[in-house]
Amino acid sequence: AVTAQRAAGAADAAALAAADVASGAVPVTDDPCAGAARVASAVGASLVHCRVEGFVATVEVQAAYSGLAAVSRARAGPPEGE
C-alpha cells in the first residue's frame, strides 16, 4: 500500500509538472516530459512514459519501496471544455 501511494503521488506531481510546462505556467526551456522526469526522480520514482497533447499531460511512473514495485498513471491539464 505504501509503494502504491508513493507511485500515485509521484505520477500526480509529474503530470502536473508536465502540464504546467506545456501551458507556459512554469517558464522553463525544457520540454514538458523532461520536467516530469525531474519531478518523478525527486520523489524517488522513474518516469516510464510521458505524452503531451496540447496542454494535457499523461504520465506513467514506477516507484519501488522495500523491494516492492508499483506503477501509476496520472493525467493533468486544464478542465475539459477550456
Side-chain angles (χ1 to χ4, degrees):
V2 171
T3 304
Q5 289 295 326
R6 290 177 84 152
D12 288 343
L16 287 168
D20 282 348
V21 172
S23 71
V26 176
V28 296
T29 57
D30 288 342
D31 72 87
C33 291
R38 251 193 333 278
V39 168
S41 178
V43 295
S46 300
L47 184 67
V48 176
H49 177 76
C50 178
R51 184 179 72 240
V52 177
E53 295 178 4
F55 297 144
V56 177
T58 305
V59 302
E60 181 177 310
V61 302
Q62 182 175 12
Y65 181 72
S66 293
L68 300 173
V71 174
S72 186
R73 294 171 192 83
R75 185 175 171 171
E80 287 190 29
E82 288 190 27

